[in-house]
Amino acid sequence: MTGEAAFEVTEDLLLGGRVRLAQPRGGYRAATDPVLLAAACPARPGERVLDLGCGVGAAALCLHARAPGVELHGLELQPAYAALARRNAARNGAALTVHEGDVLRMPEALRALQFDHVIANPPWFAHGAASEAADPGRDAAHREGGAALEDWIDAALRRLRPRGRLTLIHRAERLPRLLAALEGRAGDMRVLPLAGRAGRPAKRVIVAARKGARGPFALLAPFVLHAGPRHERDADDFSAEAARVLRDAAPLPLDPGPERGGARNI
């Protein structure tokens, strides 16, 4: 089935209600990752941004909430999710152009464009590396199909203008493959580990790089999402800095300033 009738949807809020999002009840559901991804992208009004694998439009619409004048495009493989992305864009007053296709076979209209920024949350698992999700939409979002991680990075770099910025969020254990795919093609790299709590290993990373740049590599201090050593109440326990990003639409700058010399207990 295609279109929104393919599944039941829920109505959810991101960024403290700034973004209203219809998304599948039982399929892939946006949580903190697209909000963090959008916050790490320093796009300014007038710049053109591509969200590879845009799903229902969560990251693109969070970026719109922070920078309303950005020209937004999305590429989505699953027609039902693309339909929801268009619906969500209209509901949020965002001019998001959603292209249907995959990273290996982009539509001609998309191949004709270059972008100042490309953002992406590629599938977390390699083909065959994890048990299949019961919902096919969730499985397609989480597991690589015909396109491997290196294909996602290649597609992103092809769409970027020279010195354009690529921003990715992914699992920390796949960081070596990410960096290997960028080697010799992008520089001025920043890696921000995302730790659930202070003192715990990072499970996700944000990686940013500029196409064709030669700037130095920087491994930043971890961004700690939750306060305290454990979850102790029913409500969320985001710390002050994480709450500013996730609720108040604050940016997540990836600068290696001296204040980032150690892990931040936020």
Side-chain angles (χ1 to χ4, degrees), residues 20-151:
R20 300 173 62 195
L21 200 69
Q23 55 183 341
R25 183 181 295 277
Y28 173 77
R29 295 178 58 79
T32 58
D33 282 2
V35 186
L36 294 166
L37 177 62
C41 175
R44 297 174 293 182
E47 293 185 323
R48 181 182 290 159
V49 182
L50 172 61
D51 182 1
L52 279 182
C54 66
V56 301
L61 296 177
C62 287
L63 187 55
H64 166 77
R66 292 181 48 246
V70 166
E71 180 186 337
L72 291 168
H73 292 254
L75 176 68
E76 174 53 38
L77 175 64
Q78 303 184 73
Y81 284 73
L84 275 179
R86 296 185 185 101
R87 167 180 160 183
N88 287 328
R91 168 172 291 187
N92 288 275
L96 169 62
T97 301
V98 181
H99 307 262
E100 293 185 27
D102 66 28
V103 297
L104 294 175
R105 292 171 292 276
M106 288 190 184
E108 184 177 349
L110 190 54
R111 295 199 309 268
L113 298 175
Q114 283 198 309
F115 293 85
D116 301 289
H117 300 267
V118 174
I119 61 176
N121 181 5
W124 282 10
F125 302 105
H127 181 71
S131 59
E132 183 176 351
D135 180 84
R138 183 193 298 267
D139 188 67
H142 281 169
R143 185 204 306 271
E144 293 173 358
L149 180 59
E150 291 79 5
D151 296 318

Side-chain angles (χ1 to χ4, degrees), residues 155-219:
L157 291 174
R158 287 177 182 275
R159 297 277 60 79
L160 279 171
R161 64 168 177 78
R163 300 190 64 81
R165 183 185 293 270
L166 171 62
T167 307
L168 301 161
I169 187 167
H170 214 287
R171 299 172 69 214
E173 66 187 61
R174 302 195 80 188
L175 179 60
R177 282 186 65 175
L178 279 168
L179 297 181
L182 290 167
E183 181 69 28
R185 305 181 69 187
D188 194 21
M189 292 188 203
R190 305 284 184 265
V191 175
L192 177 64
L194 301 172
R197 298 184 187 276
R200 296 189 184 180
K203 293 186 177 181
R204 291 168 292 167
V205 291
I206 292 176
V207 179
R210 287 188 180 276
K211 178 180 177 178
R214 296 182 178 276
F217 175 91
L219 177 62

